[in-house]
Amino acid sequence: MTSLGDKWTVLVVLQLARSTEGRMRFSHIRREVNGISQRMLTVTLRMLERNGLVVRHYHAEVPPRVEYELSAMGVSLVPALETFAGWITAHWDAMADARKHYDAREK
């Protein structure tokens, strides 16, 4: 089960928020979210859709085309995630140092 606070959820929501067209295809999201697997992106998008944060648009074309966009509720989440991501960026080095100190102490 994927939670709203996990790494991939935050990155996918922020990526969708940055979309200039408002909608993104699965393959575009995958290219932009560094390191996410196809399966994890599928699981994350389904969870976001289930929770009402993402809207899935299916186009019955050959080949089929699927696009995703943030719902109004998803858009309202973005400022909080940007604040959270900014905090992580500001404290990344300190957290890495704390992990090293903790791991050295545990040996």
Side-chain angles (χ1 to χ4, degrees):
M1 177 176 183
T2 305
S3 72
L4 290 177
D6 75 13
K7 168 186 173 179
W8 299 122
T9 298
V10 171
L11 293 175
V12 168
V13 169
L14 290 175
Q15 187 58 53
L16 285 169
R18 290 184 189 113
S19 172
T20 56
E21 293 86 36
R23 294 183 182 182
M24 291 182 76
R25 292 184 71 168
F26 182 95
S27 58
H28 188 183
I29 299 168
R30 186 163 178 219
R31 271 194 309 275
E32 296 299 319
V33 179
N34 191 27
I36 194 167
S37 68
Q38 181 171 337
R39 170 151 169 47
M40 186 51 66
L41 180 55
T42 298
V43 168
T44 301
L45 286 167
R46 283 184 185 159
M47 183 274 305
L48 289 168
E49 183 181 11
R50 183 173 182 231
N51 284 304
L53 299 171
V54 164
V55 178
R56 181 179 184 265
H57 301 277
Y58 176 80
H59 303 276
E61 303 171 347
V62 178
R65 182 169 49 102
V66 179
E67 297 175 316
Y68 298 89
E69 71 176 319
L70 292 176
S71 67
M73 187 166 45
V75 169
S76 73
L77 177 62
V78 172
L81 291 182
E82 288 175 335
T83 299
F84 181 58
W87 184 92
I88 290 171
T89 300
H91 294 88
W92 190 261
D93 292 338
M95 289 187 295
D97 290 343
R99 282 191 303 272
K100 286 179 192 174
H101 178 43
Y102 179 89
D103 291 347
R105 189 181 69 206
E106 293 297 311
K107 289 182 181 180

